[in-house]
Amino acid sequence: TAPSVPSVILLNPETNQIDFNYGNETSFTFSDYTLGSIQELDRELILIGGLQRFSSDQSPPVEIDDPDSFKGQAIEKLKDYRGRVGIYNLSTNSFVYSYDSSDGVYVSDVSRINGGELSGCYLIVESSIMSNGGRVIVIDPFNNIIREINTGEYTIINDARLLANGNFLLST
C-alpha cells in the first residue's frame, strides 16, 4: 500500500520545516483528475477545495462502461469521493465552514471573491467525469447558490475567475 501523505502542507522556507499538515487519501485529498485548490484567507484560515471520502454506507453505485479509458479510470478512482470545500482554522485545527458538492461532481478550484457585489462569496468550480455536468457556482457564506454556469458542455473545468465586468473566465 502507498504511504499516507498529507494533502495540505504549510512549509516554512526559512526553516525548511513543515509548520502544518492536513489530510490524506482516507480523509481529505486532491486528485490528478480534478485537481483542487487552496487559498490563504488570513493568517489563521485556509480555504481548501478537494475531495472527501464517502463513509462506507454513502458511496453511490457507479457503472463503468470502459474501465481502460481515461473516463473509466477517473470514475474508478473517484467513485468513493465527493467534492468538498472547507475553511480550515489553523488555531483550532478544525473546519469552520464546509460545502459538499452533489454526487458525481468534484471540486476543481475554489477562491473567495474580494470586492464588488459578491465580496465574501466563494467561486467554486465543479468537474463531472461521468457527464457534461461540470459547472461554476458562486455561493454565499450560508451555502446558497447565487450564480451558476451549467450549460451541459463541460466535463472537466480546471479553473475559473470572476472578471471585473462580471463575466467568468474558464479554463477547461
Side-chain angles (χ1 to χ4, degrees):
T1 62
S4 180
V5 177
S7 299
V8 178
I9 298 169
L10 180 60
L11 180 66
N12 183 330
E14 293 176 10
T15 63
N16 242 2
Q17 298 294 309
I18 295 174
D19 289 347
F20 165 79
N21 67 73
Y22 175 77
N24 57 45
E25 201 170 273
T26 61
S27 60
F28 194 95
T29 192
F30 302 106
S31 164
D32 292 341
Y33 296 103
T34 59
L35 303 180
S37 182
I38 58 174
Q39 177 186 7
E40 178 186 51
L41 299 180
D42 62 32
R43 294 178 62 93
E44 299 297 324
L45 301 176
I46 299 172
L47 179 63
I48 307 171
L51 303 171
Q52 178 80 40
R53 186 177 284 279
F54 282 110
S55 64
S56 60
D57 60 341
Q58 292 180 319
S59 193
V62 175
E63 291 185 30
I64 302 172
D65 295 332
D66 182 5
D68 294 327
S69 68
F70 172 85
K71 180 179 177 179
Q73 291 176 25
I75 292 169
E76 175 63 32
K77 184 71 173 172
L78 298 173
K79 67 182 169 77
D80 295 328
Y81 293 91
R82 77 171 334 123
R84 171 163 281 182
V85 170
I87 297 177
Y88 195 87
N89 186 312
L90 296 170
S91 294
T92 63
N93 289 319
S94 63
F95 280 96
V96 295
Y97 168 84
S98 68
Y99 161 83
D100 289 335
S101 297
S102 303
D103 291 350
V105 293
Y106 309 96
V107 175
S108 301
D109 188 41
V110 62
S111 59
R112 182 170 65 182
I113 299 170
N114 296 314
E117 68 181 56
L118 298 175
S119 187
C121 293
Y122 303 100
L123 177 61
I124 299 173
V125 176
E126 296 175 321
S127 292
S128 175
I129 305 297
M130 293 180 263
S131 68
N132 289 350
R135 66 183 186 163
V136 177
I137 59 174
V138 175
I139 62 172
D140 66 18
F142 304 103
N143 289 347
N144 298 307
I145 296 174
I146 54 176
R147 288 206 185 152
E148 178 177 12
I149 298 173
N150 185 3
T151 62
E153 296 178 34
Y154 309 109
T155 53
I156 297 175
I157 305 170
N158 298 311
D159 194 18
R161 294 294 176 257
L162 178 62
L163 303 179
N165 65 3
N167 291 341
F168 292 95
L169 181 63
L170 309 178
S171 71
T172 61

